Amino acid sequence: MAAVVGIRDLSRPAVLALWTSAVAVCYYAAGRVGLLRRLVVEGAVVTPIWPPTGVAVACLLILGIRVWPGIALGALFIVVSLPAVGLDAAGIVLGNTAAPVCAYLLLRRVGFRTDLGRLRDGLALVFLGALTAMLISATAGVCLLVLAGKLAAQDFGLVWLAWWVGDAMGVLIVTPILLMLYRQRRPPRMGRWPEASIVALVACALVPLATRSHESLLFLVYPLLVWAALRFRLAGSMLCALFISVLATVTATQRTGAFERLSGVEVMMKLQAFNGTMALTALLLSAVITEQHNTRRSVERACQELAEVLEHLTAGDVPHGRAPTDTDEGRRWAGGT
């Protein structure tokens, strides 16, 4: 409750400064985690998944546009911590700040709801928040590298693609999980824990086998995603997607399993294609299932209310909470009351 009160009091300078600093710390911490696993593509270092973009978009959706300086500050700390920082640092920080802000504005424009309870919300996050908005950071960053002489012009396309997909993957995987955690008010019912434990055990056994097998068995993870989405919707599918993407990224950067004996470009293309399709499947499937679940509950409530009204009408009573009509008055006079 204290966190909710603090968010509502962002108009106060001290509270705003506190939340902005928290956003900067979270962005920087997510960046350091993302840098633990990197790929070299045409001489440029890229990350298959860039978590800070997901953190930034989630913070903007939860806290509002006023905390954007925290994103810029966190991006600046990450850039200056890297070797060979030049004049292109300011442009990269600007691009990494503008992309999440653009994602936030686009999502607000289409009426995005943070519960991701509709298919349209999942589609908006994919196509507007991830694929469209992250064009800004990728284009700005790679163009500045070319202008600074750190990247050859002929390598622009591959590096740009790797940068763009890495930023988009951060939004597709990290943002839904953070939004889910923010909206979670109480733990799941105790009756769900046994099945959740079984799903976790199956994931711990199946995912390492699929990612580290030399027979390229990555497709085995999709039944697990479907199971998690059907039974636990967004929470189950996105946590499974995060676990799968992390293990796949570790395997790819180690050049083992399905990624063995591949060039740097081939590893990047295979990994990002797998992570992208897997995250899209998890997010959109859980959104469809959640929307159908909410629709069914609405229909059940409407049917229950209709049954209550019909029961009262059959008994000759006025339903509770409804004012008497002229017809009711006439019925009473005709009955001699």
Side-chain angles (χ1 to χ4, degrees):
M1 181 62 69
V4 176
V5 173
I7 292 173
R8 292 176 180 175
D9 291 341
L10 282 179
S11 57
R12 299 169 56 185
V15 176
L16 178 59
L18 178 63
W19 279 110
T20 300
S21 301
V23 170
V25 171
C26 292
Y27 190 101
Y28 177 77
R32 301 308 303 177
V33 172
L35 291 172
L36 294 177
R37 293 294 172 179
R38 294 174 280 184
L39 292 173
V40 179
V41 179
E42 301 299 337
V45 178
V46 295
T47 55
I49 303 174
W50 187 235
T53 57
V55 172
V57 174
C59 288
L60 290 172
L61 291 172
I62 294 172
L63 300 174
I65 195 67
R66 293 186 177 185
V67 298
W68 72 263
I71 300 172
L73 196 59
L76 178 61
F77 289 157
I78 293 176
V79 171
V80 298
S81 67
L82 299 176
V85 176
L87 297 178
D88 54 332
I92 294 176
V93 170
L94 179 61
N96 288 352
T97 304
V101 171
C102 178
Y104 167 79
L105 295 176
L106 289 174
L107 293 174
R108 286 290 301 271
R109 180 75 175 178
V110 299
F112 176 81
R113 289 188 348 199
T114 57
D115 60 355
L116 289 169
R118 304 173 299 175
L119 177 59
R120 59 176 293 182
D121 297 323
L123 293 173
L125 186 63
V126 171
F127 291 101
L128 297 179
L131 301 183
T132 299
M134 296 306 120
L135 293 171
I136 298 174
S137 55
T139 303
V142 180
C143 285
L144 288 169
L145 290 178
V146 173
L147 293 176
K150 298 179 180 179
L151 181 68
Q154 62 267 24
D155 299 329
F156 178 91
L158 281 175
V159 177
W160 178 89
L161 179 63
W163 193 313
W164 175 56
V165 175
D167 284 359
M169 285 300 303
V171 177
L172 291 179
I173 293 181
V174 177
T175 298
I177 292 177
L178 294 179
L179 294 178
M180 176 196 67
L181 293 176
Y182 168 70
R183 297 184 62 86
Q184 190 70 28
R185 294 292 181 264
R186 55 186 179 182
R189 300 190 304 272
M190 293 300 296
R192 306 299 303 276
W193 283 106
E195 186 177 3
S197 300
I198 295 174
V199 174
L201 290 175
V202 172
C204 291
L206 179 63
V207 176
L209 172 65
T211 55
R212 294 190 173 274
S213 173
H214 298 280
E215 304 302 326
S216 189
L217 300 177
L218 293 174
F219 60 89
L220 291 178
V221 304
Y222 287 98
L224 176 65
L225 285 176
V226 174
W227 181 16
L230 287 173
R231 299 299 298 160
F232 300 98
R233 297 195 288 277
L234 185 68
S237 63
M238 294 313 302
L239 289 176
C240 279
L242 176 62
F243 180 61
I244 294 168
S245 64
V246 168
L247 288 191
T249 301
V250 171
T251 304
T253 53
Q254 292 176 347
R255 304 293 181 89
T256 60
F259 303 94
E260 192 176 8
R261 295 188 299 272
L262 297 179
S263 66
V265 174
E266 290 172 338
V267 169
M268 184 270 295
M269 297 293 290
K270 185 173 184 176
L271 174 63
Q272 293 189 328
F274 169 72
N275 280 341
T277 55
M278 183 265 305
L280 285 174
T281 301
L283 179 59
L284 296 183
L285 180 60
S286 62
V288 170
I289 293 172
T290 302
E291 185 176 40
Q292 291 181 345
H293 175 76
N294 293 337
T295 301
R296 184 173 67 252
R297 291 184 61 184
S298 299
V299 172
E300 290 174 352
R301 284 196 299 267
C303 291
Q304 184 178 2
E305 293 174 359
L306 179 61
E308 293 175 356
V309 172
L310 291 176
E311 182 181 354
H312 285 294
L313 290 177
T314 302
D317 298 330
V318 179
H320 178 70
R322 185 172 66 87
T325 62
D326 294 338
T327 303
D328 298 327
E329 294 291 339
R331 186 182 298 111
R332 283 197 295 270
W333 280 106
T337 58

